[in-house]
Amino acid sequence: MDKTLTIVTPIYYVNSVPHIGTALTTIVSDVCARYGKVRGQKTWFVTGTDENGLKVHEAAVKAGRDPHEFVAEIAEEFKRIWREMDIEFDDFIRTNEPRHHKAVQAAYEKLRAAGYIYADKYEGWYDLSTETFFKETELVDGQSPDGNPVTWVSEENDFFKLSAFQDKILAHIEANPTFILPETRKNEVVAFIKQGLRDVCVTRTNPGWGIPVPGNESKVVYVWFDALLNYIAACGWPDEGWEGKWPADLQMMGKDILTRFHATLWPAMLMGLDLPLPKTLFGHGWILMGKDKISKSLGNVVAPIDLAKELAERGGCTLPVAKDAVRYYSIATLPVESDSTFSVEEFDRKYNADLANDLGNALNRSLSMAHQFLGGVIPDCDPESEVAQKITEAKQGFEKAMETWRCDEAANAAMDLIRFLNKYINDRAPWNLSKNQDPALQPVMYGMLLGIRSAVCLLSPVVPNTATEIARQLNVPVAVSWEEIGSKASLLAGTQLGSPSPIFPRLQPPKPAPKQQPAAEKQPAPKKEEKPVEPISIDDFAKVQLRVGRILEAEPLEGSDKLLKLQVVIDKEKRQIVAGIRAGYQPVDLIGRQVVVVANLKPATLRGVESQGMLLAAVDADGKAILLQPDREAPEGATVR
Ligand code: MSP
């Protein structure tokens, strides 16, 4: 039987709902799983909820709720939020499910029978918020090393012989270079193990919540011991059939739960159960808010879906694209070795720089020019060799990065291709090739379109909704086999391209607050004297020739903070137009856009530059231009009446 590619997230505590920190682990895992799927592998991606901790029970009791109902509701909320963020999980495991209870009790009995669990007295400190035991010597100023309060525990308990596995775990890490990633985390883990692993207390007095110890109802299984077993429980262990899914190929998590739990206790438990170890444990860094952790008590929680909704409202992109932007940001700024700091400003900057400027610009320019110069039909030719080579490099770079689950480097390899394409368009200037009827026009245009198609296919696990929208605009199928990416089969000659329509409108910086004038000084605005408008005849109006044009290039006019210099094509004819629209538009947002041009205006010289026409625009209350644009794609050069 073919082994499935199994990818799992940690299971989340149900005393909070997802925020951009917990979402990070889930989004990265989802991207890895989607990558497996696009590579054609049978993939199984699991997430779930960790429900047996004492804190959860306390929260339910405090809220006057039945704990089972309480956790079931929160687990549903997790599922809903993950689905809303386009997380494509194949299974969702809850530690209150019978399949999990069964696996925990079976594992407990097996380890006890093998002599790895023994009874003893436990005395030590317990941190309830992270469910961790600490020695006296590990406390810092009477608190846990993370600064959490601890309580003294003195109980008869069962212990797991973690110390017996110390050398075996070290040997496994040594023999399997990708068992713990990234490298720096591996070094931390090895240093921790070399300090000496001590046996772990694996039971607590039964508070009426948790999984009872087999044969001793007065005790429940320690919540970490219970929670870690979710991974094999979800695979169906101890019943037959688990071998098709276990071992996991990737266990993704934050660094906080790697060293003490996943890289020591978990492998030891698996070794004691005679089960194979996961192939890779990946411990990423944290997202911080300034210097602080994200936490409800600090009031700094940002929900991923709220971030997406706000972006859609502020930026005007659709919600599916805004969700992709959150996913893209999480991946592109993934904290791997160290931590990262979240701010809305940085989120906006990344959106504008990578998605609006780089990706959006490359797509709009390529599609618009293909309509302009090739009648919107994909030409039948090969791309120029430098483009073909860059596509191969991007694909290989993506694959190499994903061998060690570096989604951030993989995304960057695809974005490198996009950045290359924008430069290539500038260098090869298809508008000149067209004007000069240069035969290079077709290969250049094909390379631009194939480059975009390839980069977007590579990025599809990160930005699935954007990939769908771009495929729609290119009028090609969304799905393409991995082998086909970069080949001509992925972009068939003769295809009639769809209409370009900006996917990532650029975010404008927030308006500065208007200066407040003291009330007494406020003068009523002088009324504009309205001149009576003389009616004109239809013949007068007919003298004005209005045509639909398309902006191909846009740049600020040197020496002016109001004017932009535009290259606009009206059907086959190219015009240079100087327009006073700089206050309302960024040049990159204009490229590819259709506009209405007064085509028979006498040329004028503005700041030493000739302007061969005028764009029609409305004016807002601040005097800023609002360009008129056909309601849907109009034929090139269409007459406006
Ligand atoms: N329930 C345990 C895991 C048990 S797995 C057998 C747990 N849950 S958690 O809800 O607190 O955290 C789940 C994951 O979210 C962990 O990988 C954790 O590192 C990650 N993150 C929580 N906050 C985070 C950030 N601010 N930044 C990045 N990841 C963070 O631990």
Side-chain angles (χ1 to χ4, degrees):
M1 181 171 46
D2 255 8
K3 163 77 179 60
T4 307
L5 178 82
T6 298
I7 293 176
V8 299
T9 74
I11 46 172
Y12 297 92
Y13 287 133
V14 285
N15 52 352
S16 153
V17 283
H19 53 64
I20 50 169
T22 38
L24 178 81
T25 310
T26 318
I27 291 172
V28 182
S29 309
D30 182 62
V31 169
C32 295
R34 284 177 185 261
Y35 174 68
K37 286 173 197 162
V38 296
R39 297 275 342 229
Q41 277 171 283
K42 199 167 113 204
T43 304
W44 193 62
F45 171 37
V46 199
T47 186
T49 40
D50 187 350
E51 305 175 354
N52 293 328
L54 214 56
K55 272 181 298 176
V56 180
H57 187 249
E58 279 175 1
V61 171
K62 210 164 142 195
R65 301 284 312 277
D66 171 73
H68 286 281
E69 271 177 23
F70 182 77
V71 293
E73 267 172 33
I74 303 177
E76 279 311 308
E77 187 62 2
F78 265 87
K79 284 189 204 169
R80 190 188 63 74
I81 293 173
W82 292 146
R83 286 199 187 103
E84 203 173 19
M85 285 309 292
D86 302 309
I87 304 296
E88 262 186 356
F89 54 88
D90 299 298
D91 198 352
F92 189 98
I93 182 154
R94 299 183 44 208
T95 56
N96 259 299
E97 284 177 64
R99 61 172 168 163
H100 180 73
H101 278 232
K102 180 176 173 180
V104 171
Q105 294 193 320
Y108 202 94
E109 281 181 323
K110 197 167 171 200
L111 288 169
R112 195 165 50 187
Y116 292 122
I117 289 179
Y118 61 93
D120 202 352
K121 183 168 167 90
Y122 179 77
E123 285 205 323
W125 297 97
Y126 194 67
D127 168 5
L128 190 60
S129 57
T130 58
E131 309 274 8
T132 314
F133 292 99
F134 289 106
K135 284 192 286 200
E136 179 78 37
T137 51
E138 288 176 307
L139 298 190
V140 181
D141 298 332
Q143 292 185 314
S144 81
D146 285 343
N148 300 321
V150 288
T151 48
W152 181 253
V153 178
S154 172
E155 292 174 355
E156 276 299 321
N157 270 313
D158 282 358
F159 283 76
F160 172 64
K161 270 194 192 162
L162 180 58
S163 56
F165 297 94
Q166 177 167 326
D167 294 341
K168 275 178 87 179
I169 300 173
L170 280 175
H172 185 84
I173 296 175
E174 174 81 6
N176 296 275
T178 55
F179 178 53
I180 296 171
L181 291 175
E183 191 71 20
T184 42
R185 293 268 129 69
K186 184 205 311 206
N187 301 339
E188 285 166 23
V189 169
V190 169
F192 175 77
I193 299 177
K194 283 188 173 163
Q195 281 175 15
L197 294 179
R198 64 201 160 94
D199 294 351
V200 181
C201 177
V202 289
T203 52
R204 300 293 317 273
T205 300
N206 189 346
W209 185 250
I211 303 182
V213 169
N216 182 4
E217 291 279 322
S218 71
K219 297 281 178 190
V220 286
V221 178
Y222 167 46
V223 68
W224 265 102
F225 198 82
D226 144 359
L228 287 164
L229 289 161
N230 91 84
Y231 302 122
I232 52 171
C235 292
W237 190 89
D239 295 334
E240 270 169 30
W242 58 267
E243 299 93 332
K245 288 175 177 159
W246 188 261
D249 295 86
L250 172 65
Q251 290 202 223
M252 184 60 74
M253 72 203 73
K255 61 179 186 184
D256 53 314
I257 57 173
L258 178 72
T259 309
R260 274 176 188 275
F261 302 112
H262 286 81
T264 44
L265 180 56
W266 180 223
M269 289 164 71
L270 288 168
M271 285 172 176
L273 290 167
D274 223 358
L275 290 172
L277 304 199
K279 301 251 175 63
T280 294
L281 302 168
F282 193 109
H284 61 70
W286 272 52
I287 299 184
L288 301 175
M289 290 295 201
K291 288 198 175 62
D292 296 325
K293 279 187 175 179
I294 302 176
S295 103
K296 254 201 294 193
S297 54
L298 291 174
N300 60 7
V301 167
V302 178
I305 191 67
D306 290 347
L307 192 58
K309 283 182 180 158
E310 276 166 28
L311 173 67
E313 275 162 26
R314 290 183 300 130
C317 64
T318 62
L319 186 58
V321 168
K323 290 193 286 181
D324 277 4
V326 174
R327 292 170 62 97
Y328 177 77
Y329 173 83
S330 304
I331 296 300
T333 64
L334 178 73
V336 178
E337 312 282 349
S338 43
D339 296 336
S340 70
T341 305
F342 175 81
S343 73
V344 174
E345 292 73 32
E346 177 55 16
F347 174 69
D348 287 0
R349 196 196 63 72
K350 201 75 189 146
Y351 168 87
N352 271 346
D354 293 12
L355 300 178
N357 282 11
D358 292 341
L359 180 55
N361 204 2
L363 175 73
N364 282 351
R365 295 169 95 189
S366 305
L367 263 181
S368 306
M369 291 185 208
H371 278 283
Q372 195 60 49
F373 306 136
L374 307 173
V377 179
I378 296 178
D380 189 2
C381 58
D382 289 315
E384 290 190 317
S385 61
E386 62 173 313
V387 176
Q389 194 188 327
K390 196 72 199 176
I391 293 174
T392 308
E393 258 174 44
K395 192 173 172 184
Q396 286 172 349
F398 199 99
E399 288 170 2
K400 179 102 194 69
M402 289 307 281
E403 278 172 19
T404 50
W405 307 108
R406 286 295 300 260
C407 299
D408 56 326
E409 288 177 353
N412 193 43
M415 289 306 290
D416 256 354
L417 172 57
I418 293 288
R419 288 185 280 266
F420 161 86
L421 288 171
N422 276 319
K423 185 167 177 306
Y424 176 76
I425 298 172
N426 293 347
D427 293 347
R428 297 297 277 126
W431 46 94
N432 287 337
L433 301 177
S434 168
K435 193 167 74 192
N436 303 333
Q437 297 188 338
D438 190 319
L441 175 68
Q442 299 221 344
V444 167
M445 290 299 309
Y446 187 72
M448 286 157 52
L449 293 165
L450 185 66
I452 291 190
R453 168 76 161 147
S454 308
V456 173
C457 287
L458 295 176
L459 280 173
S460 66
V462 183
V463 288
N465 300 318
T466 303
T468 306
E469 174 54 22
I470 293 180
R472 195 189 64 75
Q473 294 196 15
L474 290 171
N475 193 21
V476 292
V478 185
V480 53
S481 75
W482 191 260
E483 288 63 41
E484 274 176 354
I485 295 177
S487 77
K488 288 173 71 181
S490 69
L491 194 71
L492 289 179
T495 306
Q496 175 68 50
L497 295 162
S499 306
S501 138
I503 300 177
F504 308 106
R506 218 182 128 83
L507 284 171
Q508 302 299 332
K511 270 192 185 175
K515 277 192 195 138
Q516 294 283 323
Q517 269 186 12
E521 286 176 26
K522 267 193 185 164
Q523 303 289 331
K527 269 196 184 157
K528 264 195 187 165
E529 218 174 275
E530 298 212 341
K531 282 193 196 148
V533 180
E534 288 281 325
I536 59 167
S537 72
I538 188 78
D539 294 338
D540 287 338
F541 178 68
K543 284 186 199 154
V544 183
Q545 197 191 51
L546 299 174
R547 306 273 305 274
V548 171
R550 190 187 296 280
I551 301 176
L552 283 192
E553 296 290 304
E555 58 182 306
L557 187 71
E558 246 174 65
S560 163
D561 54 5
K562 297 203 173 64
L563 301 173
L564 290 182
K565 187 168 93 177
L566 311 170
Q567 305 301 328
V568 180
V569 281
I570 304 169
D571 198 8
K572 298 268 175 304
E573 188 197 347
K574 187 150 160 214
R575 300 277 189 101
Q576 175 168 286
I577 295 178
V578 176
I581 56 173
R582 190 160 170 190
Y585 295 94
Q586 293 287 334
V588 302
D589 294 334
L590 295 169
I591 292 167
R593 184 194 283 258
Q594 285 196 321
V595 282
V596 179
V597 182
V598 181
N600 61 339
L601 202 63
K602 277 191 193 145
T605 303
L606 296 164
R607 301 230 170 211
V609 174
E610 188 177 61
S611 180
Q612 302 154 336
M614 192 172 91
L615 304 188
L616 291 195
V619 180
D620 74 8
D622 300 334
K624 277 193 211 155
I626 306 169
L627 284 174
L628 297 194
Q629 185 170 6
D631 184 33
R632 59 191 162 82
E633 274 282 303
E636 301 297 338
T639 302
V640 179
R641 289 180 289 186

